[in-house]
Structures are given as structure tokens and as C-alpha cells.
Amino acid sequence: TIGAIVMTPFLCQKFLGTVVPVDALGIVISTLQVVLGPIIFGMGANVIAPKVVKKFTPVLPLIGVSSTCLLVASSVGQVAGPIKAAGLALQIPVFLLHFLGGICGYWIARFLGFGETTCRTMAIETSMKSSAFGFLLAKLHMGAEAARVPSAVSVVWMALTGSTLAVIWRFIPVPKGKDEDKK
């Protein structure tokens, strides 16, 4: 997360700067606001007012799902025309990015000796990398509308693949003895 604050603007400027205009300083500021800010706020709230945080904990999944739906609708709605025009040539690679990310996350963790729960968590996390953040950065700091289109499609596939994995694994119990990390 800390690395993202420096690496995201650096990589965007390096790889995209010749294709679309990139505001590297703006990306740093947005990353601090969108990534680091909420983490610091959440950790601080948990330290300063753990009882208050505990009261809100039961509704946080509902807030998360609702927020995801709004992010998907907003992202896709803003670039619906180009998404339709791109068709399967855009949908298939973006789906594969999230699907294969989940598979790689699971098997790399398994190969490294982690238990089943950790492997499943890694699969969900790697399949759900924040496309909404990519969309926000493209919208605010990269000028061209076309820069937002892949992230908007990715927001949909991110939500679908990660949620699907979570639902499937909820109904498949972890076998006894398979959940311990190898030391």
C-alpha cells in the first residue's frame, strides 16, 4: 500500500505518459486521499473508539456491497458507449485478468505452503484488485476518456469474480488439517 503511493504515479508516467497526458503529482495526492487516508482513519478509529467501531461492524458488509454496486454503476455509466463498441475484444481480456489473478493468487500461496484459508483469501484479493481506483485515477489525471474504459469494465469483472469466489468457498468447508500454514 505504501509502495503504491510512489509506484503508481511513477509507472503511469513511465508507461502511459507518451500515450496520454499523466499528472503524476495529482496521482500521488489522489493515492494518499483514496488509499492511505481511509486506512489511517480506520486504524485510528479502531484504536481511539473500538466500542463505536464494533457497533458499526455488523452493517459494514452491507455498506461495502452497496458501495461496490454504486462504483460499478457509476464507472460503467460514464463510458457505456465505448464499452459497447469494444465488445468481447475488451471483455474477454479483462475477465481473464481477474480470473487468472485469482487462480494465480491461490496456487502461488499454496506453493509457498500457506493453509487453505490463506490461499482462498489470496485468490479473492488478487482477483479483486481495485479497478475503481484505476478508473478514478484515469478520470482525474489522464485526460482522455478512453483511458477510463478498461478500468470501467474491470470494475464489473472484479466485483463478479471476487464475489463469486467468496460465495462458492463459503459453502465448501476447509478440510481438517488443510488450514495450517507450513512453517
Side-chain angles (χ1 to χ4, degrees):
T1 299
I2 299 295
I5 295 168
V6 175
M7 293 307 294
T8 300
F10 171 75
L11 292 173
C12 286
Q13 184 68 43
K14 178 92 171 135
F15 294 114
L16 298 174
T18 58
V19 180
V20 294
V22 174
D23 175 12
L25 180 59
I27 292 174
V28 169
I29 293 167
S30 291
T31 306
L32 287 169
Q33 293 170 336
V34 175
V35 177
L36 197 58
I39 290 171
I40 291 171
F41 175 78
M43 290 171 59
N46 207 22
V47 168
I48 294 168
K51 291 179 181 176
V52 174
V53 171
K54 193 170 185 170
K55 287 180 182 179
F56 283 100
T57 300
V59 297
L60 291 179
L62 177 61
I63 292 170
V65 169
S66 300
S67 299
T68 299
C69 290
L70 292 172
L71 285 170
V72 169
S74 174
S75 300
V76 171
Q78 291 180 48
V79 289
I83 290 172
K84 288 178 188 174
L88 289 178
L90 178 60
Q91 296 293 329
I92 292 171
V94 173
F95 163 73
L96 288 173
L97 170 74
H98 292 283
F99 180 73
L100 294 174
I103 290 172
C104 289
Y106 180 89
W107 287 107
I108 289 171
R110 173 64 65 215
F111 175 76
L112 293 173
F114 289 98
E116 183 67 15
T117 300
T118 301
C119 293
R120 290 179 182 191
T121 302
M122 290 291 289
I124 292 169
E125 288 298 320
T126 54
S127 72
M128 291 191 71
K129 286 295 119 203
S130 186
S131 307
F133 182 55
F135 182 86
L136 175 71
L137 292 180
K139 181 179 179 178
L140 295 178
H141 307 293
M142 293 181 195
E145 181 183 71
R148 294 184 256 165
V149 175
S151 290
V153 172
S154 187
V155 168
V156 175
W157 287 114
M158 171 196 73
L160 290 173
T161 55
S163 301
T164 301
L165 282 174
V167 168
I168 289 170
W169 279 328
R170 180 180 181 149
F171 295 104
I172 301 173
V174 175
K176 292 189 188 262
K178 293 272 187 178
D179 202 31
E180 289 140 21
D181 296 340
K182 294 178 185 170
K183 306 227 177 202

